[in-house]
C-alpha cells in the first residue's frame, strides 16, 4: 500500500549541494525530505579535492570575470560555519589545511605579474618562504616561489557526515522515482511506493539531474559533463601538500591535495591540467606514468619508490554552456514547483542555497504544518574513493 507524505521542500540528491540546502531549510523551520538513491556524498562530492575556492585560480586566466567576484566570499562563509558562527554549525568538520598554496616552479614567477595585479587576488595572497613553506616543499633543492591563498581545504567525508547529522530524520533512501501530476503541474514525486507532495521540489542530483529531467519529460535545463582522470597515491613518506603548481598556461599544471586514509597514511590526490583532456585520453597505466614523471621532476627529493598508485575517472556535472566553458556561479533554473540546480563547485553550495531561498521568498513559500512523517529508510554515508582503490 502506498504511503502518503507531505513536506515543504522535497530535495532529490544528497551530495553537498542537497545536504547543505536541506540543513539551511530545516534551520529556517521548513519541513524537508531529502531523497538519495545511492550513498550520501557518493557522487562528485566525496571525489572532490575539498578546496574552498575564493577565485584566485580563476584570476589566473588573466581577465577578471564575474566568477572571481561571486566566489570571493565563499571562504569567509565557510570559515564562519566551521567555527560555529555562520549560517550552519559545521564545528567539528575537519579542516585539512587553513590555506591552499600556489606554487610556481623555477622561473615561471615572472608570468604572475598580471595575476597579482588583478583585483581578485589583491590582499588575499602572500608569498611564503623558509619554515612557512608547505612541509613537502621544505627542501634545499626546492626552487621556485610559493604564495599562500586565503582558501581552505576541507575533509569532505567529515563535512558530509556533519551535514547528514543536521538532516535529522529528513533523509530517505529511494530509487524508483515517478512524477505526480495534477492538472498541468507536478505536485510531488512517487518514490518506491511513497507519494511525497511538496510545495517545491529541488533537483540537486549532480549528474543524476539529466536522468531525472528526462523522467519528468523536460528538455531544459540541459546538462554537460566534463570528464576528469584523477590520480591518487599513498605512501608513508608523503607529507601534506595543498597547492596548485603552475605551468605556463592559464590552468594549474597539477593541483595536489592531501587526504587522510583510514590506515593513518596520507593520500595525495592529483588534479588540475593533468586530469583534463590529455589525461582523460590516457589509459590508467599511462596516466600514472605521466603523474610519476611530473612529481619526479617537480619534487625529486620525495622518494615515491614504495607508493601505491591508482586513478579515478569521474565526470563533473554542470549546466550546459557553449564550448564547455566552466560555469562560474551556482546555477538554478525554475519551472513551476520544480527547481533544478548544480552548484558547479562544492565551495558554491551556499550560493545555490541562496538562490533557492530567493525563489522561496519571491513566491512567499512559508513553512506549513504537515502530519508527522513515519520513520524513513536512511541512505548510507559514502566513502572516499581511495579507501577502495588504495586498500
Ligand atoms: P553530487 O556530489 O554529485 O551529489 C549528487 C547526489 O545525487 C549523489 O549522492 C547521487 O547519488 C544522487 N543522485 C543521483 N541521481 C539521483 C536520483 N535519480 N535520485 C536520487 N538521488 C540521486 N569543487 C570545489 O569547490 N572544490 C574542489 O576542490 C573540487 N574538486 C573537485 C574534484 C573533482 C575530481 C570533481 C569531480 C569535482 C570537484 N569539485 C570541486 C566540484 C564539486 O565536487 C561538485 O561541484 C559538487 O560536489 C557537486 O555537488 P552536488 O551535491 O551537486 O552533486
Amino acid at each position: 500500500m502506498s504511503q502518503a507524505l507531505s513536506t515543504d521542500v522535497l530535495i532529490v540528491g544528497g551530495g553537498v549541494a542537497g545536504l547543505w540546502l536541506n540543513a539551511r531549510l530545516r534551520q529556517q523551520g521548513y519541513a524537508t525530505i531529502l531523497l538519495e538513491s545511492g550513498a550520501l556524498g557518493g557522487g562528485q562530492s566525496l571525489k572532490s579535492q575539498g578546496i574552498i575556492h575564493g577565485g584566485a585560480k580563476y584570476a589566473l586566466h588573466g581577465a577578471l570575470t564575474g566568477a572571481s567576484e561571486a566566489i570571493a566570499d565563499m571562504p569567509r562563509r565557510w570559515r564562519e560555519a566551521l567555527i560555529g558562527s555562520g549560517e550552519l554549525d559545521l564545528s567539528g568538520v575537519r579542516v585539512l589545511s587553513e590555506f591552499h598554496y600556489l606554487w610556481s616552479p623555477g622561473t615561471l614567477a615572472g608570468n604572475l605579474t598580471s595575476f597579482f595585479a588583478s583585483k581578485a587576488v589583491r590582499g588575499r595572497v602572500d608569498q611564503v618562504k623558509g619554515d612557512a613553506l608547505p612541509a613537502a616543499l621544505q627542501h634545499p633543492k626546492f626552487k621556485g616561489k610559493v604564495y599562500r591563498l586565503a582558501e581552505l581545504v576541507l575533509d569532505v567525508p567529515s563535512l558530509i557526515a556533519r551535514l547528514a547529522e543536521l538532516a535529522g530524520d529528513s533523509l530517505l533512501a529511494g530509487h524508483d522515482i515517478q512524477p505526480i501530476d495534477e492538472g498541468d503541474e507536478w505536485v510531488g514525486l512517487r518514490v518506491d511506493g511513497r507519494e511525497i507532495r511538496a510545495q517545491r521540489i529541488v533537483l540537486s542530483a549532480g549528474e543524476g539531474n539529466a536522468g531525472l529531467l528526462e523522467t519528468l519529460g523536460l528538455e531544459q535545463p540541459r546538462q554537460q559533463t566534463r570528464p576528469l582522470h584523477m590520480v591518487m597515491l599513498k605512501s608513508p613518506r608523503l607529507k601534506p601538500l595543498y597547492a596548485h603548481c603552475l605551468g605556463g598556461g592559464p590552468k594549474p599544471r597539477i593541483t595536489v591535495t592531501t587526504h587522510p586514509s583510514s590506515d593513518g597514511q596520507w593520500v595525495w590526490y592529483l588534479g588540475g591540467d593533468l586530469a583534463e583532456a590529455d589525461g582523460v585520453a590516457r589509459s590508467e597505466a599511462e596516466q600514472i606514468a605521466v603523474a610519476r614523471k611530473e612529481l619526479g621532476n617537480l619534487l625529486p627529493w620525495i622518494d615515491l619508490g614504495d607508493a601505491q598508485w591508482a586513478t579515478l575517472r569521474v565526470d563533473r556535472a554542470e549546466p550546459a554552456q557553449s564550448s564547455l566553458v566552466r560555469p562560474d556561479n551556482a546555477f538554478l533554473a525554475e519551472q513551476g514547483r520544480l527547481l533544478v540546480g548544480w552548484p558547479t563547485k562544492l565551495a558554491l553550495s551556499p550560493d545555490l542555497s541562496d538562490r533557492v531561498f530567493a525563489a522561496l521568498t519571491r513566491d512567499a513559500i512559508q513553512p506549513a504544518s504537515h502530519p508527522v512523517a513515519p520513520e524513513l529508510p536512511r541512505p548510507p554515508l559514502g566513502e572516499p574513493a581511495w579507501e577502495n582503490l588504495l586498500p
Side-chain angles (χ1 to χ4, degrees), residues 144-381:
K145 293 202 167 149
V146 180
Y147 301 88
R148 195 173 66 183
L149 305 177
E151 304 186 344
L152 60 162
V153 186
L154 296 184
D155 177 53
V156 181
S158 69
L159 169 65
I160 297 292
R162 175 62 184 148
L163 291 173
E165 214 173 271
L166 294 174
D169 56 7
S170 65
L171 301 176
L172 168 65
H175 299 275
D176 181 23
I177 298 176
Q178 297 301 325
I180 306 174
D181 296 333
E182 255 170 30
D184 280 348
E185 209 187 17
W186 293 295
V187 291
L189 297 175
R190 202 168 281 113
V191 183
D192 298 334
R194 293 184 173 82
E195 287 202 351
I196 311 174
R197 283 158 200 270
Q199 301 197 64
R200 288 292 179 272
I201 303 163
V202 180
L203 305 186
S204 59
E207 198 174 356
N209 277 349
L212 288 163
L213 289 168
E214 204 180 317
T215 304
L216 298 172
L218 289 175
E219 287 184 4
Q220 296 290 336
R222 292 177 36 157
Q223 174 178 292
Q224 75 185 27
T225 51
R226 198 154 48 86
L228 295 171
H229 194 185
M230 305 290 286
V231 178
M232 54 187 82
L233 63 152
K234 180 163 86 171
S235 154
R237 292 175 211 279
L238 293 179
K239 292 178 181 163
L241 180 60
Y242 302 91
H244 298 302
C245 174
L246 299 180
K251 286 184 187 163
R253 167 174 172 180
I254 194 165
T255 297
V256 186
T257 49
T258 310
H259 306 266
S261 114
S262 57
D263 61 6
Q265 295 186 48
W266 288 115
V267 173
W268 275 11
Y269 192 34
L270 313 179
D273 212 27
L274 170 78
E276 302 215 6
D278 291 347
V280 171
R282 290 183 199 116
S283 68
E284 173 166 19
E286 287 165 344
Q287 181 71 336
I288 290 172
V290 170
R292 198 190 273 275
K293 196 167 161 207
E294 273 281 77
L295 294 182
N297 288 335
L298 291 166
L299 306 163
W301 54 90
I302 298 181
D303 178 3
L304 298 173
D306 59 0
Q308 270 179 280
W309 296 78
T311 69
L312 176 70
R313 290 187 186 275
V314 52
D315 288 340
R316 277 180 90 139
E318 301 165 337
Q321 303 233 325
S322 55
S323 72
L324 284 187
V325 171
R326 206 166 313 182
D328 293 332
N329 295 297
F331 173 96
L332 187 73
E334 301 176 50
Q335 188 160 336
R337 289 184 189 217
L338 187 72
L339 294 88
V340 185
W342 290 270
T344 75
K345 285 172 194 70
L346 175 142
L348 283 164
S349 298
D351 186 35
L352 183 67
S353 263
D354 289 351
R355 287 164 199 265
V356 173
F357 271 93
L360 296 180
T361 306
R362 184 201 56 213
D363 296 347
I365 303 291
Q366 297 290 332
S369 62
H370 303 275
V372 177
E375 199 175 319
L376 301 172
R378 198 175 167 91
L381 288 174

Side-chain angles (χ1 to χ4, degrees), residues 22 27 30 32 51 61 122 138 172 181 245 264 300 304 313:
N22 188 42
Q27 188 199 47
Y30 288 92
T32 62
I51 305 164
H61 296 260
R122 221 177 291 151
Q138 291 190 20
L172 168 65
D181 296 333
C245 174
L304 298 173
R313 290 187 186 275

